[in-house]
Amino acid sequence: MKRLYAGLALLLSSVAAQAEEVTTYTLDNGMEVVVIEDNRAPVVVQMLWYKVGSADEPVGASGVAHLLEHLLFKGTDVLAPGEFSATVAANGGRDNAFTSYDYTAYFQRIASDRLELMMQMESNRMNNLRITAEDVETERQVVLEERNQRTENSPGALAREQFRAALFQNHRYGVPIIGWKHEMEQLDLQDALDFYDLYYAPNNTVLVVAGDVDPDEVLALAERYYGVIPAEENLPVRERPQEPPQRAERRITYVDERVSQPYLARSYLAPERDPGAQEDAAALVYLAELLGGSSFTSALGQALQFDTQTAIFASASYNGSSLDTGTFGLVVAPADGVSLSQAEAAMDAEVAAFMARDIDLERMESIRAQLRASEIYAMDDTQALAQRYGAALTQSLTVADVQAWPDILQAVTPEDVKAVAEKVLNRDQAVTGWVVATQEEAR
């Protein structure tokens, strides 16, 4: 088995050496341009990433970043409402947008000979949006309904919202991306325009173009369409309230009669990927896999689901793709007849046992090979590559950091995993939540 993993790692390493070709530029107005050349198909993806997300919103105006994302599909000085997406579709492409804590991104996937048209339209709505109070009212109702469907109608989503608000005591990561409902209801035209005028500027963006393109031609188009837009002189320094030292565990019981299966979840603060310092994040990727990545091979899955049949589900996860502090989480759903307190005790006992024993080297090599394979497969998805670079660059990482990440993952040792586990698995910087249908189940 060890020889098999070694052979697979050697094969994957030889393939990985064929890394994507990335060219970078910076326009005179401060816009960053990243070109990922891939000539295997006559397709291009344009992604425009704004370095602003929900965690950058003014206090009291939660949801404005996401609302503005919707409003950008309204009209401009030359495009009628809905014309942008209709034009993309008429040219055989597709487009969309998404908002996160750290960024707002817009993309089109289309035939490569249509790139100039996409740049012309995208650059136009960066600086020439035309929206009315009626547009804001319409889209506000749309996003409120989105919140109703995705959050208000989901006890799990409501519980996660409460857990995250308790985990982040000072940082805006504790505020939901879509916004608090009572604040969303108050957003108006001026809120949207103020946010747009301040943050939607070339010196606050990363343009990523991936696919069948020539880097020099992309630069020429970018200079023609984006380079003429003036920089925002009043763009604020991106500084956010940081977390104070956390000195006490928080516990929440969320009761909702719609809960069909009680479960417990624990979220810890964890290091994020930082420029030139991604080693802890890489070790946390392994820790999540070792503790709860697979029911059949993970520590929690093997112990709780199979050995003791204490749980019907157990998992661990790590999210370190963020500008500021990340999270590490554990989730356990108890089996019939097992209380949440018993399931939590079993989870804690297995985590302690994991920390006390040596890490299985064969399992480490298996994870290493899987991670290397996932990096190879990702090279076949042009949009995923564009998204990888765009997200990273809006979260303070560099192109060099993105390209170093696969090798950093491959260099993780069992000692690295144990060291980061000691640092992160601290109950004083965690929230433990129980999700139940009735108060009687909270025992």
Side-chain angles (χ1 to χ4, degrees), residues 174-221:
V175 177
I177 294 170
I178 199 168
W180 296 118
K181 186 174 182 179
H182 68 286
E183 294 184 351
M184 296 167 65
E185 291 171 338
Q186 303 302 316
L187 295 173
D188 60 22
L189 175 61
Q190 197 59 52
D191 292 321
L193 289 176
D194 288 347
F195 203 76
Y196 174 76
D197 289 341
L198 183 59
Y199 291 109
Y200 277 52
N203 50 324
N204 199 39
T205 57
V206 179
L207 173 67
V208 182
V209 177
D212 185 24
V213 292
D214 175 83
D216 290 338
E217 292 177 2
V218 171
L219 174 60
L221 289 173

Coordinates of all heavy atoms in Angstrom, one line a residue, residues 174-221:
G174 N -19.5 37.9 12.1 CA -20.6 37.5 12.9 C -22.0 37.9 12.4 O -23.0 37.5 12.9
V175 N -21.9 38.8 11.3 CA -23.1 39.3 10.7 C -23.4 38.5 9.4 O -22.5 38.3 8.6 CB -23.0 40.8 10.4 CG1 -24.3 41.3 9.7 CG2 -22.8 41.6 11.7
P176 N -24.6 38.0 9.2 CA -24.8 37.2 8.0 C -24.6 37.9 6.7 O -24.8 39.1 6.6 CB -26.3 36.7 8.1 CG -26.9 37.7 9.1 CD -25.8 38.1 10.0
I177 N -24.1 37.3 5.7 CA -23.8 37.9 4.4 C -25.0 38.5 3.8 O -25.0 39.6 3.3 CB -23.2 36.9 3.4 CG1 -21.8 36.4 3.9 CG2 -23.1 37.5 2.0 CD1 -21.2 35.2 3.1
I178 N -26.1 37.8 3.9 CA -27.4 38.3 3.3 C -27.9 39.5 4.1 O -28.7 40.3 3.6 CB -28.4 37.2 3.2 CG1 -29.5 37.6 2.2 CG2 -29.0 36.8 4.5 CD1 -30.4 36.5 1.7
G179 N -27.5 39.6 5.4 CA -27.9 40.7 6.2 C -28.9 40.2 7.3 O -29.6 39.2 7.1
W180 N -29.0 41.0 8.4 CA -30.1 40.8 9.3 C -31.4 41.4 8.7 O -31.4 42.4 8.2 CB -29.8 41.5 10.7 CG -28.6 41.0 11.4 CD1 -27.5 41.7 11.7 CD2 -28.4 39.7 12.0 NE1 -26.6 41.0 12.4 CE2 -27.1 39.7 12.6 CE3 -29.2 38.6 12.0 CZ2 -26.6 38.6 13.2 CZ3 -28.7 37.5 12.7 CH2 -27.4 37.5 13.3
K181 N -32.5 40.6 8.9 CA -33.7 41.0 8.3 C -34.2 42.4 8.6 O -34.6 43.1 7.7 CB -34.8 40.0 8.6 CG -36.1 40.2 7.9 CD -37.1 39.1 8.2 CE -38.4 39.2 7.3 NZ -39.4 38.2 7.6
H182 N -34.1 42.8 9.9 CA -34.6 44.1 10.2 C -33.8 45.2 9.6 O -34.3 46.3 9.4 CB -34.7 44.3 11.7 CG -33.3 44.3 12.4 ND1 -32.5 43.2 12.6 CD2 -32.6 45.4 12.9 CE1 -31.4 43.6 13.2 NE2 -31.4 44.9 13.4
E183 N -32.5 45.0 9.3 CA -31.7 46.0 8.7 C -31.9 46.0 7.1 O -31.9 47.0 6.5 CB -30.2 45.8 9.0 CG -29.9 46.1 10.5 CD -28.5 46.0 10.8 OE1 -27.7 45.5 10.0 OE2 -28.1 46.3 12.0
M184 N -32.1 44.8 6.6 CA -32.4 44.7 5.2 C -33.6 45.4 4.8 O -33.7 46.1 3.7 CB -32.5 43.2 4.8 CG -31.3 42.3 4.9 SD -31.7 40.6 4.8 CE -32.2 40.4 3.1
E185 N -34.6 45.4 5.6 CA -35.9 46.1 5.4 C -35.8 47.6 5.3 O -36.6 48.2 4.7 CB -36.9 45.7 6.4 CG -37.4 44.2 6.4 CD -38.2 43.8 7.6 OE1 -38.1 44.5 8.6 OE2 -38.9 42.8 7.5
Q186 N -34.7 48.1 5.8 CA -34.5 49.6 5.9 C -33.6 50.1 4.8 O -33.4 51.3 4.7 CB -34.0 50.0 7.2 CG -34.8 49.6 8.4 CD -36.2 50.1 8.3 OE1 -36.5 51.3 8.0 NE2 -37.2 49.3 8.6
L187 N -32.9 49.2 4.0 CA -32.0 49.7 3.0 C -32.7 50.5 1.9 O -33.8 50.1 1.5 CB -31.3 48.5 2.4 CG -30.4 47.6 3.3 CD1 -29.9 46.4 2.6 CD2 -29.2 48.5 3.8
D188 N -32.1 51.6 1.5 CA -32.7 52.4 0.5 C -31.7 52.8 -0.6 O -30.6 52.3 -0.6 CB -33.3 53.7 1.2 CG -32.2 54.5 1.9 OD1 -31.0 54.4 1.6 OD2 -32.6 55.3 2.8
L189 N -32.2 53.6 -1.5 CA -31.4 54.0 -2.7 C -30.1 54.7 -2.3 O -29.0 54.3 -2.9 CB -32.2 55.0 -3.6 CG -31.5 55.5 -4.8 CD1 -31.1 54.4 -5.7 CD2 -32.4 56.6 -5.5
Q190 N -30.1 55.5 -1.3 CA -28.9 56.2 -0.9 C -27.8 55.2 -0.3 O -26.6 55.4 -0.5 CB -29.2 57.3 0.1 CG -28.0 58.3 0.3 CD -27.7 59.0 -1.0 OE1 -28.6 59.5 -1.7 NE2 -26.4 59.0 -1.5
D191 N -28.3 54.2 0.5 CA -27.4 53.2 1.0 C -26.6 52.5 -0.2 O -25.4 52.3 -0.1 CB -28.1 52.2 1.8 CG -28.7 52.7 3.1 OD1 -28.0 53.5 3.7 OD2 -29.8 52.3 3.4
A192 N -27.4 52.1 -1.2 CA -26.8 51.4 -2.3 C -25.9 52.3 -3.1 O -24.8 51.9 -3.5 CB -27.9 50.9 -3.3
L193 N -26.3 53.6 -3.4 CA -25.4 54.5 -4.1 C -24.1 54.8 -3.4 O -23.1 54.9 -4.0 CB -26.2 55.7 -4.5 CG -27.3 55.6 -5.5 CD1 -28.0 56.9 -5.7 CD2 -26.8 55.1 -6.8
D194 N -24.2 55.0 -2.1 CA -23.0 55.3 -1.3 C -22.0 54.2 -1.3 O -20.8 54.4 -1.5 CB -23.4 55.6 0.2 CG -24.1 57.0 0.3 OD1 -24.1 57.8 -0.6 OD2 -24.7 57.2 1.4
F195 N -22.5 53.0 -1.2 CA -21.7 51.8 -1.3 C -21.0 51.7 -2.6 O -19.8 51.4 -2.8 CB -22.5 50.6 -0.9 CG -21.7 49.4 -0.4 CD1 -21.2 49.4 0.9 CD2 -21.4 48.3 -1.2 CE1 -20.4 48.3 1.4 CE2 -20.7 47.2 -0.7 CZ -20.2 47.3 0.6
Y196 N -21.8 51.8 -3.7 CA -21.4 51.7 -5.1 C -20.3 52.8 -5.4 O -19.3 52.5 -5.9 CB -22.6 51.9 -6.0 CG -22.3 51.9 -7.5 CD1 -21.9 50.8 -8.2 CD2 -22.3 53.1 -8.2 CE1 -21.6 50.8 -9.5 CE2 -22.1 53.2 -9.5 CZ -21.7 52.0 -10.2 OH -21.4 52.0 -11.5
D197 N -20.6 54.0 -5.0 CA -19.7 55.1 -5.4 C -18.4 55.0 -4.7 O -17.3 55.4 -5.2 CB -20.3 56.5 -5.0 CG -21.5 56.8 -5.9 OD1 -21.6 56.3 -7.0 OD2 -22.4 57.7 -5.5
L198 N -18.3 54.4 -3.5 CA -17.1 54.3 -2.7 C -16.3 53.1 -3.1 O -15.0 53.2 -3.3 CB -17.4 54.3 -1.2 CG -16.2 54.3 -0.3 CD1 -15.3 55.5 -0.5 CD2 -16.6 54.2 1.2
Y199 N -16.9 52.0 -3.3 CA -16.1 50.7 -3.4 C -16.0 50.2 -4.9 O -15.1 49.4 -5.2 CB -16.8 49.7 -2.6 CG -16.6 49.9 -1.1 CD1 -17.6 50.3 -0.3 CD2 -15.3 49.8 -0.5 CE1 -17.5 50.5 1.1 CE2 -15.1 50.0 0.8 CZ -16.2 50.4 1.6 OH -16.0 50.6 3.0
Y200 N -16.9 50.6 -5.8 CA -16.9 50.1 -7.1 C -16.0 50.9 -8.0 O -16.5 51.8 -8.7 CB -18.3 49.9 -7.7 CG -19.0 48.6 -7.2 CD1 -19.1 48.3 -5.9 CD2 -19.6 47.8 -8.2 CE1 -19.7 47.1 -5.5 CE2 -20.2 46.6 -7.8 CZ -20.2 46.3 -6.4 OH -20.8 45.1 -6.0
A201 N -14.7 50.7 -7.9 CA -13.7 51.5 -8.5 C -12.6 50.6 -9.0 O -12.3 49.5 -8.4 CB -13.2 52.6 -7.6
P202 N -11.8 51.0 -10.0 CA -10.8 50.1 -10.5 C -9.7 49.8 -9.5 O -9.1 48.7 -9.6 CB -10.3 50.8 -11.8 CG -10.7 52.3 -11.5 CD -12.0 52.2 -10.8
N203 N -9.4 50.7 -8.7 CA -8.3 50.5 -7.7 C -8.8 49.6 -6.5 O -8.0 49.4 -5.6 CB -7.7 51.8 -7.2 CG -8.7 52.8 -6.7 OD1 -9.8 52.9 -7.3 ND2 -8.4 53.6 -5.7
N204 N -10.0 49.1 -6.6 CA -10.5 48.2 -5.6 C -10.9 46.9 -6.3 O -11.8 46.1 -5.7 CB -11.7 48.8 -4.9 CG -12.0 48.1 -3.6 OD1 -11.1 47.8 -2.8 ND2 -13.3 47.9 -3.3
T205 N -10.4 46.6 -7.4 CA -10.8 45.4 -8.2 C -9.6 44.5 -8.6 O -8.5 45.0 -8.8 CB -11.6 45.8 -9.4 OG1 -10.8 46.6 -10.2 CG2 -12.9 46.5 -9.0
V206 N -10.0 43.3 -8.9 CA -9.1 42.3 -9.5 C -9.8 41.7 -10.7 O -10.9 41.2 -10.6 CB -8.7 41.2 -8.6 CG1 -7.7 40.2 -9.3 CG2 -8.0 41.7 -7.3
L207 N -9.3 41.9 -11.9 CA -9.9 41.4 -13.1 C -9.1 40.1 -13.4 O -7.9 40.1 -13.6 CB -9.7 42.3 -14.3 CG -10.1 41.8 -15.7 CD1 -11.6 41.5 -15.7 CD2 -9.7 42.7 -16.8
V208 N -9.9 39.0 -13.5 CA -9.3 37.7 -13.8 C -9.9 37.2 -15.1 O -11.1 37.1 -15.3 CB -9.5 36.6 -12.7 CG1 -8.8 35.3 -13.1 CG2 -9.0 37.1 -11.4
V209 N -9.0 36.9 -16.1 CA -9.5 36.4 -17.4 C -8.8 35.1 -17.6 O -7.5 35.0 -17.6 CB -9.1 37.4 -18.5 CG1 -9.6 36.8 -19.9 CG2 -9.9 38.7 -18.3
A210 N -9.6 34.0 -17.8 CA -9.0 32.7 -17.9 C -9.6 32.0 -19.2 O -10.8 32.1 -19.4 CB -9.3 31.9 -16.7
G211 N -8.7 31.3 -19.9 CA -9.2 30.6 -21.1 C -8.3 30.8 -22.3 O -7.1 31.1 -22.2
D212 N -9.0 30.7 -23.4 CA -8.3 30.8 -24.7 C -8.0 32.2 -25.1 O -8.7 32.8 -26.0 CB -9.2 30.1 -25.8 CG -8.5 30.0 -27.1 OD1 -7.2 30.0 -27.2 OD2 -9.2 29.9 -28.2
V213 N -7.0 32.8 -24.5 CA -6.7 34.2 -24.7 C -5.2 34.4 -24.8 O -4.4 33.6 -24.3 CB -7.3 35.1 -23.6 CG1 -8.8 35.1 -23.6 CG2 -6.7 34.7 -22.2
D214 N -4.8 35.6 -25.3 CA -3.4 36.0 -25.3 C -3.2 37.1 -24.3 O -4.0 38.0 -24.3 CB -3.0 36.5 -26.7 CG -1.6 37.1 -26.7 OD1 -0.6 36.3 -26.9 OD2 -1.4 38.3 -26.5
P215 N -2.3 36.9 -23.3 CA -2.2 37.9 -22.2 C -2.0 39.3 -22.7 O -2.6 40.3 -22.2 CB -0.9 37.4 -21.5 CG -0.9 35.9 -21.7 CD -1.4 35.8 -23.1
D216 N -1.2 39.6 -23.8 CA -1.0 40.9 -24.2 C -2.3 41.5 -24.8 O -2.6 42.7 -24.7 CB 0.1 41.0 -25.3 CG 1.5 40.7 -24.7 OD1 1.6 40.9 -23.4 OD2 2.4 40.3 -25.4
E217 N -3.1 40.7 -25.5 CA -4.3 41.1 -26.0 C -5.3 41.5 -24.9 O -6.1 42.4 -25.0 CB -4.9 40.1 -27.0 CG -4.1 39.9 -28.3 CD -4.6 38.8 -29.2 OE1 -5.6 38.2 -28.8 OE2 -4.0 38.6 -30.2
V218 N -5.3 40.7 -23.9 CA -6.2 40.9 -22.7 C -5.8 42.3 -22.1 O -6.6 43.1 -21.7 CB -6.1 39.8 -21.7 CG1 -6.8 40.2 -20.4 CG2 -6.7 38.5 -22.2
L219 N -4.5 42.5 -21.9 CA -4.0 43.8 -21.4 C -4.5 44.9 -22.2 O -4.9 46.0 -21.7 CB -2.5 43.8 -21.3 CG -1.8 45.1 -20.8 CD1 -2.4 45.5 -19.4 CD2 -0.3 45.0 -20.8
A220 N -4.4 44.8 -23.5 CA -4.8 45.9 -24.4 C -6.3 46.2 -24.2 O -6.7 47.4 -24.2 CB -4.5 45.6 -25.8
L221 N -7.1 45.2 -24.1 CA -8.5 45.3 -24.0 C -8.8 45.9 -22.6 O -9.7 46.8 -22.4 CB -9.3 44.0 -24.1 CG -9.3 43.4 -25.5 CD1 -9.9 42.0 -25.5 CD2 -10.2 44.3 -26.4

